[in-house]
Amino acid sequence: MNANTDFRMPARRFTATAAATVLAAGPMVLGGAGSAHASADHGRASAVVLRTGLDVSLLNKTVNVPLAVSLNEVRAPRSAERNALTARLDGVDGGQPFSVLRADVASAKATVSASGAEASTNLTHARIHVPGLPLLSLIEVGQVTSKATCEAGRKPAASATLLGGVTVLGKKVTLTVGGPTEVKVPGVGEVRIDFSKTRTTSRTAAASALELHVSVNPLKLNVADVEGTLTLGSVTCESPSAAPASAPASAPASVSAPDIKPQGAPAKSGLAETGGTSTTPFVVGAAVVLLAAGGAAVALGRRHRS
């Protein structure tokens, strides 16, 4: 009797210890998986009041002088804002400073944060000049603004507005969003203008208030002709990248005898329907260990009696 008792106690202890080890290992395995967190991307934004890409041909030279100017250009991730009123080009008109832009207000702003990115420009009472036309403005505008907004979780948006009159090479014109407006002045040149060009994707937005394609031949101030493009109020933005959702941490499994249910057809139906749960392997593992331990205890008991 004592021998049987001494045998059964270790067997029971072994069975309980094995089951507890398997059930306790489940939460530790789940907890060790953890959650992957990507570094936060706050997006990007840029804004520029005026950008030029012009080729200036000189009368007494066989070379072109590029006029590449960016006025009030700002970029973020670092929030930035800049205000200036005049851009100049040296080397034309006998080396005298040449004003490309004169305006009452010329501002650009770009900001980014965890919630999104935004860029905007504002140009008020502006007059644009090109080399060779010191007295005649290439274009004059009352006010043009542009804005691009890329908020996290929302569709990006871009817009450009024009307020007040527009004068091109001394002619008053009416701009339309649908297509380019062409202005030709005999003996001076021609300008094609695109107003409010915008584009958006799932994460980006961009807008240009005015895009000018210029071809003028002023024949003054040692300038033969000027060709190229000018852009007013150019903005872009990119929304923050979506971080992967954090997997919720699994609570430690609490197991008690009354809660254990027999495995049968309903359980199999549920597995086929849902694919099982995250704790299914550990429950099955515990059952296998308990069954093996019980079988070992019975076998050893019979051997001892015999």
Side-chain angles (χ1 to χ4, degrees):
M1 184 69 179
N2 289 339
N4 290 340
T5 303
D6 291 341
F7 164 76
R8 285 194 297 269
M9 290 299 292
R12 290 174 183 173
R13 289 175 184 170
F14 170 77
T15 303
T17 302
T21 301
V22 173
L23 293 176
M28 287 197 302
V29 173
L30 290 177
S35 304
H37 298 278
S39 59
D41 178 8
H42 288 176
R44 294 169 180 81
S46 66
V48 59
V49 168
L50 169 67
R51 180 182 287 118
T52 67
L54 299 174
D55 286 328
V56 181
S57 298
L58 304 183
L59 286 174
N60 60 353
K61 294 182 180 180
T62 59
V63 297
N64 293 335
V65 179
L67 173 56
V69 176
S70 294
L71 177 63
N72 289 15
E73 184 170 12
V74 291
R75 298 177 183 271
R78 294 183 178 179
S79 297
E81 184 172 6
R82 184 176 298 174
N83 293 272
L85 299 182
T86 304
R88 296 177 180 271
L89 173 67
D90 294 334
V92 177
D93 191 15
Q96 298 297 318
F98 174 78
S99 295
V100 178
L101 170 67
R102 294 185 179 94
D104 292 346
V105 176
S107 64
K109 185 177 182 179
T111 60
V112 295
S113 66
S115 60
E118 183 175 287
S120 62
T121 66
N122 182 21
L123 188 62
T124 304
H125 296 147
R127 297 166 297 282
I128 310 297
H129 290 268
V130 296
L133 294 176
L135 301 179
L136 180 63
S137 299
L138 178 69
I139 185 172
E140 298 182 10
V141 295
Q143 182 181 22
V144 289
T145 62
S146 58
K147 186 175 183 179
T149 304
C150 298
E151 296 184 17
R154 295 188 178 183
K155 184 178 179 180
S159 63
T161 59
L162 174 64
L163 300 175
V166 177
T167 302
V168 179
L169 295 177
K171 288 186 174 182
K172 290 187 177 181
V173 298
T174 301
L175 304 182
T176 59
V177 179
T181 301
E182 294 186 0
V183 179
K184 297 182 179 181
V185 177
V188 178
E190 61 184 59
V191 179
R192 190 185 70 188
I193 307 172
D194 289 297
F195 166 58
S196 186
K197 296 183 68 174
T198 63
R199 64 183 184 276
T200 59
T201 67
S202 59
R203 288 188 56 198
T204 65
S208 297
L210 295 174
E211 288 187 1
L212 287 73
H213 299 267
V214 181
S215 177
V216 297
N217 50 346
L219 300 179
K220 295 180 180 179
L221 302 179
N222 196 34
V223 175
D225 56 67
V226 180
E227 293 188 359
T229 61
L230 292 95
T231 302
L232 294 176
S234 177
V235 291
T236 64
C237 69
E238 181 179 349
S239 60
S241 60
S246 300
S250 298
S254 59
V255 179
S256 59
D259 293 332
I260 297 177
K261 298 180 180 180
Q263 302 296 311
K268 292 180 181 178
S269 175
L271 284 174
E273 200 172 323
T274 64
T277 65
S278 59
T279 59
T280 300
F282 307 112
V283 175
V284 174
V288 172
V289 172
L290 288 172
L291 182 60
V298 172
L300 290 176
R302 289 178 178 176
R303 184 182 300 176
H304 183 74
R305 283 200 221 48
S306 62

